[in-house]
Amino acid sequence: IVLVPLNGSKPITVVKSLADCPDWSRDGRSIFYIAYSPLNAKTPISEMQDTTKRPFLATLNSLEVADMQGKIYSKPGNPKLLIDAFAADVSRVRCMPDGSVVFHAKSHVFPSIKNAEPKSCLYRLSADRKSLEPIAGSEQLPGDDMRYFEPNQDGSMIAVPGSNGEILVIDTV
């Protein structure tokens, strides 16, 4: 993660990892994001862009980058690890109006047999960060495009592309 001040100051590298899928907290001060590392610890980060090296082991993190007035910190603190490890090829993070965080992951059971096909699922991390639950019914949706989910403005529904070109809508309340 690199902070790039638009006033001409030098960019600040805050986190050196393969990070993706950012979304802003509702107060606009923090970024929630997925950080990836290869399942094979010997794979260098430079090779992780290669989709044949996926799925990755992923973590859900947040990083406060701005103060109460919205000014970018000159030296932000360390990222907060919110979810320790999950498997994902590509995920997405969305901060919900109630303060919870929804993200996509693949459900794996370890140990796993070769060629076991994991199911895609949407998970909700509670606003107090103390509970993690799958969004009911999301694991039964067809297709693998769940990673492109998008919640509506109040967080009561989530749209997901289906496998046959349709849009599926999940009621989350």
Side-chain angles (χ1 to χ4, degrees):
I1 295 178
V2 179
L3 303 179
V4 182
L6 296 180
N7 63 6
S9 300
K10 185 178 176 181
I12 304 162
T13 300
V14 179
V15 178
K16 289 185 180 181
S17 72
L18 184 60
D20 200 7
C21 309
D23 197 21
W24 286 100
S25 61
R26 291 293 161 204
D27 65 6
R29 297 179 60 201
S30 299
I31 296 174
F32 287 74
Y33 65 96
I34 304 293
Y36 298 102
S37 52
L39 289 178
N40 178 350
K42 295 179 181 178
T43 304
I45 287 179
S46 61
E47 292 181 21
M48 288 177 56
Q49 297 291 348
D50 180 357
T51 56
T52 63
K53 303 274 193 282
R54 296 178 182 177
F56 300 126
L57 193 58
T59 58
L60 176 63
N61 306 274
S62 69
L63 178 66
E64 188 174 301
V65 297
D67 64 19
M68 294 291 283
Q69 290 74 37
K71 183 180 178 198
I72 293 177
Y73 292 133
S74 60
K75 186 164 175 66
N78 293 321
K80 290 181 185 174
L81 179 65
L82 302 174
I83 302 294
D84 193 17
F86 60 93
D89 49 1
V90 176
S91 191
R92 173 173 259 182
V93 175
R94 289 294 178 256
C95 296
M96 305 299 276
D98 66 358
S100 65
V101 179
V102 174
F103 66 99
H104 164 261
K106 294 201 173 205
S107 59
H108 283 272
V109 176
F110 295 104
S112 174
I113 61 171
K114 186 177 182 177
N115 299 326
E117 188 60 35
K119 295 286 284 178
S120 287
C121 190
L122 297 177
Y123 292 88
R124 182 187 305 265
L125 178 63
S126 64
D128 64 7
R129 312 294 181 247
K130 293 181 180 178
S131 67
L132 175 68
E133 299 289 333
I135 292 180
S138 67
E139 70 282 351
Q140 297 175 9
L141 293 175
D144 194 31
D145 290 333
M146 197 173 310
R147 61 184 174 235
Y148 301 114
F149 76 91
E150 193 63 49
N152 68 346
Q153 288 76 7
D154 69 3
S156 64
M157 294 180 283
I158 296 176
V160 179
S163 56
N164 296 318
E166 69 273 4
I167 302 293
L168 309 171
V169 177
I170 302 170
D171 184 358
T172 64
V173 283

